[in-house]
Amino acid sequence: MARDAEWIIRVISERGMRITEQRRKLAELFAGSPTFLSPKEIYRMMDGSHPGLSFDTVYRNLKVLLTLGVIQPYYIGEEVKYGIGPALPEHRHPFICLECSRKIELPFCPVEAIELPASFRMIRHRFEVYGYCQDCSGKEDAALC
Amino acid sequence: MARDAEWIIRVISERGMRITEQRRKLAELFAGSPTFLSPKEIYRMMDGSHPGLSFDTVYRNLKVLLTLGVIQPYYIGEEVKYGIGPALPEHRHPFICLECSRKIELPFCPVEAIELPASFRMIRHRFEVYGYCQDCSGKEDAALC
DNA sequence: TGCGTAATCGTAATATTTACGAATTGATGA
DNA sequence: TCATCAATTCGTAAATATTACGATTACGCA
């Protein structure tokens, strides 16, 4: 299932929502952009093909795409930007209890927010957190890091 | 060097800036809070002891503390919050090139933004990113993840 | 092609952050 | 201790970002 503009359009349509010119353009923007996009950037990029575009339309449709799981927010610097789908295939990172070895899946991946210089290419990563789980809290500290 | 209110006050003073009642209160807030604080939360917590407090004062002093390296911003959910110093002793995580094994230090630590349930305690973590560096980009993709 | 309603526009309201002159107050030296 | 002066704060407003809403438009369906 390629994550292109048509995929986005199909997702919107399958959920019973209408395909407007604005949403089609938005899908093309997200599918074609190599960078994450802020609402203001999206507004500027859409205003060319849709003069008189309302900010309401941009924000409303961003929420639609978020709800549908088509895009995700990334908090870069001090602003919120949006990008198509998860950056990598779905996966989880573990929280590992030093006492009971219980493994709990963390609900996020730090790589989603990473910005490397353009010339670098990220292929894979490893992220593990160690500590004491709910049941084992209260044990003595281990050496930090 | 304990990271308490007096430490913050000392840092401000050593840089030749004045110790005002507002800054003293701000230092106590950051030193005493178990959570990160948003500007609005800070304003509300300070307004009790300083009626008529100006937002300008809050934002200006947040910038002062940021510049001094006393606090750091964390982007939690959709808002910016601030917390005292780095969460852990200073350390770096590596970007490792799959081609030339070059190790580049990443300028951030994902743990800074982690929010675990209150009953969990994080002791240490591991974060490594693998890919192709500036010089080795253009090689074929490896299997993702 | 015509209908019903979801979506958009245009505008304004709300929230957040920054800016600035007048007044205040902390730090310094006599 | 007191006077001085500039850094800091206050009070208010401007700038920016986000959300809200009635009137209008246009998409999807029969």
Side-chain angles (χ1 to χ4, degrees):
Chain A
M1 176 166 68
R3 300 242 159 137
D4 54 13
E6 284 312 310
W7 170 69
I8 298 177
I9 295 298
R10 200 179 329 124
V11 171
I12 296 173
S13 182
E14 284 171 354
R15 300 291 189 95
M17 314 190 82
R18 292 182 179 173
I19 306 305
T20 65
E21 284 306 312
Q22 292 85 345
R23 284 176 178 170
R24 198 178 295 277
K25 177 68 177 176
L26 194 57
E28 290 167 6
L29 280 184
F30 275 120
S33 173
T35 66
F36 297 141
L37 302 171
S38 68
K40 191 159 59 175
E41 287 169 341
I42 292 167
Y43 179 81
R44 277 201 291 258
M45 295 170 86
M46 289 184 67
D47 198 32
S49 54
H50 296 82
L53 178 72
S54 171
F55 264 106
D56 190 27
T57 300
V58 173
Y59 282 104
R60 197 165 15 78
N61 283 323
L62 284 176
K63 286 219 170 126
V64 167
L65 294 184
L66 279 171
T67 302
L68 296 180
V70 167
I71 60 173
Q72 287 191 342
Y74 300 86
Y75 304 94
I76 299 169
E78 296 206 0
E79 58 183 346
V80 185
K81 297 197 171 194
Y82 300 87
I84 196 168
L88 295 174
E90 212 57 65
H91 63 272
R92 299 274 83 131
H93 296 286
F95 177 97
I96 299 156
C97 182
L98 293 166
E99 180 71 16
C100 68
S101 297
R102 197 145 68 101
K103 195 168 91 176
I104 294 123
E105 288 190 346
L106 297 172
F108 60 87
C109 169
V111 165
E112 289 170 356
I114 285 187
E115 269 195 326
L116 290 173
S119 48
F120 285 76
R121 275 176 53 227
M122 176 165 52
I123 299 298
R124 65 171 187 265
H125 60 281
R126 166 190 283 218
F127 180 52
E128 297 154 6
V129 178
Y130 299 83
Y132 294 105
C133 73
Q134 204 163 17
D135 300 330
C136 303
S137 283
K139 313 286 179 179
E140 282 310 293
D141 284 350
L144 289 183
C145 276
Chain B
M1 175 167 69
R3 300 242 159 138
D4 54 13
E6 282 313 309
W7 169 69
I8 299 177
I9 295 298
R10 202 181 326 124
V11 171
I12 296 173
S13 182
E14 283 170 354
R15 300 290 189 96
M17 314 189 83
R18 293 183 178 171
I19 307 305
T20 64
E21 283 307 312
Q22 293 83 347
R23 284 176 177 169
R24 199 178 294 277
K25 177 68 178 175
L26 194 56
E28 290 167 5
L29 280 184
F30 276 121
S33 173
T35 66
F36 297 143
L37 301 172
S38 69
K40 191 159 58 174
E41 287 169 340
I42 292 167
Y43 178 81
R44 276 201 290 259
M45 294 170 86
M46 289 184 68
D47 198 33
S49 53
H50 296 83
L53 178 72
S54 171
F55 265 107
D56 190 26
T57 300
V58 174
Y59 282 104
R60 197 167 13 78
N61 283 322
L62 284 176
K63 285 217 169 125
V64 167
L65 295 185
L66 279 170
T67 302
L68 296 180
V70 167
I71 60 173
Q72 287 192 341
Y74 300 85
Y75 304 93
I76 299 168
E78 297 205 0
E79 59 183 345
V80 185
K81 297 198 172 194
Y82 300 88
I84 196 167
L88 296 174
E90 212 57 65
H91 65 273
R92 298 275 83 132
H93 295 286
F95 176 96
I96 300 157
C97 181
L98 293 166
E99 181 70 15
C100 68
S101 297
R102 198 146 68 101
K103 195 169 92 176
I104 295 123
E105 288 189 346
L106 297 172
F108 59 88
C109 169
V111 165
E112 291 170 357
I114 285 187
E115 272 195 324
L116 290 173
S119 48
F120 284 76
R121 276 175 54 223
M122 175 164 52
I123 299 298
R124 65 170 186 264
H125 60 281
R126 165 189 283 218
F127 179 52
E128 298 156 4
V129 178
Y130 297 84
Y132 295 106
C133 72
Q134 202 162 18
D135 300 330
C136 302
S137 282
K139 314 285 179 182
E140 282 310 293
D141 283 349
L144 288 183
C145 274

